Amino acid sequence: IMPSLVGSEMCIRDRGSTLEKLPEKGAFGETVTPLTPSGKVHIGENLFDATSDQGYLKEHLPIKVVRIEGCKIVVRAVKE
């Protein structure tokens, strides 16, 4: 099983065999756990592991996807 497909937006989740589509750059969501700087975020109807490019972010904070690095989702807090 390949951990990612080169040139695509699909990644294997939790080392299982299911593929999940990553959110697009610019997608909005909310932190589910604190990002320290990594944690869980809710984007659309999916839960993802993500990393903040701003360090610590508290839970239930609006976020935006700023970039995708391979299978890594990088987010930033959105000013309310």
Side-chain angles (χ1 to χ4, degrees):
I1 297 175
M2 296 171 38
S4 67
L5 300 174
V6 177
S8 80
E9 296 177 350
M10 303 293 276
C11 289
I12 295 177
R13 184 177 189 172
D14 297 329
R15 298 180 189 234
S17 60
T18 58
L19 293 176
E20 83 175 357
K21 184 167 175 50
L22 294 175
E24 294 184 19
K25 180 179 174 183
F28 291 93
E30 180 180 72
T31 59
V32 175
T33 64
L35 302 189
T36 59
S38 296
K40 301 282 186 186
V41 296
H42 190 232
I43 300 170
E45 296 184 19
N46 297 306
L47 187 65
F48 296 99
D49 291 317
T51 301
S52 165
D53 72 346
Q54 300 171 303
Y56 179 85
L57 295 179
K58 65 182 181 176
E59 63 186 303
H60 305 297
L61 193 67
I63 51 95
K64 179 179 180 179
V65 176
V66 292
R67 66 183 177 274
I68 304 291
E69 298 173 348
C71 289
K72 180 177 162 185
I73 301 166
V74 181
V75 300
R76 178 175 292 165
V78 175
K79 304 240 190 264
E80 296 183 55

